[in-house]
Amino acid sequence: MAKKLYIVSSGAGGTSYITPEARNALEECEVVVSYSKYARELKELLAGKELYTSGMTYEIERCNQSIQYAVEGKTTCIVSNGDANVYGMATLIVEIMDEKDLWDKVELISLPGVTSFLAAASKVGAPVSQDFSIISLSDRLTDINLIDKRVKAALDCDFVLGIYNPKSKKRILPYQNFLRALENGYQDRIAIIASHVGRVEKEKITITTAQDLIDQDIEHPAVSMSTLIIICNSNSKLTKNGKVLTPRGYLNKYKLDGKLKNK
């Protein structure tokens, strides 16, 4: 099958986290379809390509256009920031392909990427070495009551919790509900606030507490639509040099030399 459509995960912001596999796909393709902001960030990798871009809320249009280019026989890439399967374009592309029954006409190749959740975690130590949950607070496509239920369940189960899309200028209620959930016994949890991860000039990562988030409510200067929040679990702690550590449990069972501790 000659007609290829790549879903290219570009990783956390900028070009630092894009994989060699994704770079190769961009080199191979004739057409690139992208959200305008991501296309600007990848400009150096898109030289000489036919480019189709659009703004926020035009995701369906971009997906349809990328599929159409592929049906026409053009090797096409549609760009998805972070990982295409983490609030990215993979789900919509697959859904449209299935609705139109195009599986015999287009070869779909989805390429993974480094999410801002993982990129931020790598910069602050080892906060995500136990089970974790990732939840988006955007209620544009998900019912707010379900979001609230998921947040409560993740906190109750002591997951390390990653929060995407915490709030925007008009969408604040899901974030306020999240803060109220933190007030139910989770105030002392370590919180990591990471904004513009991978975008070197704008990137800012702060290690603080859930209480700090609660105290500053919707006015917290570090929290916006471009922010990722990580709420650590009950075992997480700060290292001697101020990094975040969520122990996996090795040193509960073994000595530093690797031998089993006496039972």
Side-chain angles (χ1 to χ4, degrees):
M1 187 181 293
K3 300 173 181 179
K4 290 183 180 179
L5 173 56
Y6 287 98
I7 308 174
V8 172
S9 301
S10 61
T15 58
S16 299
Y17 294 101
I18 191 166
T19 67
E21 190 177 38
R23 287 177 181 269
N24 290 340
L26 289 173
E27 288 179 8
E28 179 187 342
C29 73
E30 301 165 77
V31 185
V32 176
V33 177
S34 176
Y35 173 45
S36 305
K37 178 181 179 181
Y38 303 152
R40 289 193 297 271
E41 292 183 339
L42 299 175
K43 182 172 63 175
E44 64 190 69
L45 302 178
L46 306 183
K49 307 294 181 183
E50 183 179 347
L51 194 60
Y52 180 94
T53 64
S54 59
M56 290 185 70
T57 74
Y58 288 91
E59 293 88 356
I60 293 177
E61 178 189 77
R62 287 197 295 277
C63 288
N64 276 318
Q65 187 61 63
S66 66
I67 291 169
Q68 183 59 39
Y69 281 131
V71 168
E72 292 170 1
K74 296 179 179 179
T75 300
T76 304
C77 286
I78 182 166
V79 174
S80 188
N81 192 237
D83 182 278
N85 274 288
V86 182
Y87 313 120
M89 305 303 287
T91 178
L92 187 51
I93 287 285
V94 170
E95 193 169 15
I96 293 173
M97 288 274 293
D98 204 48
E99 287 290 322
K100 295 184 176 182
D101 195 15
L102 296 173
W103 299 116
D104 291 334
K105 295 183 179 180
V106 175
E107 180 183 4
L108 183 64
I109 305 167
S110 183
L111 304 179
V114 179
T115 67
S116 57
F117 177 75
L118 296 176
S122 71
K123 290 175 178 286
V124 298
V128 191
S129 53
Q130 290 189 359
D131 295 338
F132 62 88
S133 174
I134 296 176
I135 298 173
S136 170
L137 296 190
S138 174
D139 61 348
R140 181 174 159 231
L141 300 174
T142 305
D143 182 77
I144 188 171
N145 294 309
L146 182 56
I147 294 172
D148 295 344
K149 183 178 180 180
R150 288 171 174 169
V151 167
K152 181 181 184 301
L155 291 170
D156 288 347
C157 290
D158 205 21
F159 284 119
V160 175
L161 175 58
I163 295 293
Y164 277 70
N165 309 314
K167 70 180 181 72
S168 63
K169 291 181 179 178
K170 295 181 179 180
R171 182 182 50 77
I172 61 172
L173 182 57
Y175 182 66
Q176 289 177 310
N177 290 351
F178 163 67
L179 296 179
R180 301 296 81 78
L182 291 178
E183 289 180 333
N184 293 319
Y186 307 102
Q187 296 91 327
D188 61 344
R189 295 291 172 85
I190 295 172
I192 299 157
I193 307 173
S195 298
H196 301 286
V197 178
R199 299 177 176 97
V200 180
E201 295 180 357
K202 292 184 177 181
E203 181 181 271
K204 183 177 180 181
I205 300 178
T206 303
I207 299 172
T208 182
T209 64
Q211 187 65 60
D212 172 48
L213 293 172
I214 294 166
D215 289 345
Q216 302 203 52
D217 200 65
I218 61 171
E219 302 300 329
H220 201 298
V223 178
S224 70
M225 191 65 179
S226 299
T227 301
L228 164 80
I229 299 171
I230 300 175
I231 303 296
C232 295
N233 72 15
S234 61
N235 294 313
S236 303
K237 60 183 180 180
L238 295 180
T239 63
K240 294 179 179 68
N241 67 339
K243 296 289 187 179
V244 181
L245 169 64
T246 302
R248 181 74 186 279
Y250 286 104
L251 297 187
N252 292 332
K253 186 173 182 179
Y254 299 97
K255 299 177 183 179
L256 287 175
D257 61 6
K259 295 180 181 178
L260 279 170
K261 291 183 176 179
N262 294 327
K263 293 185 179 179

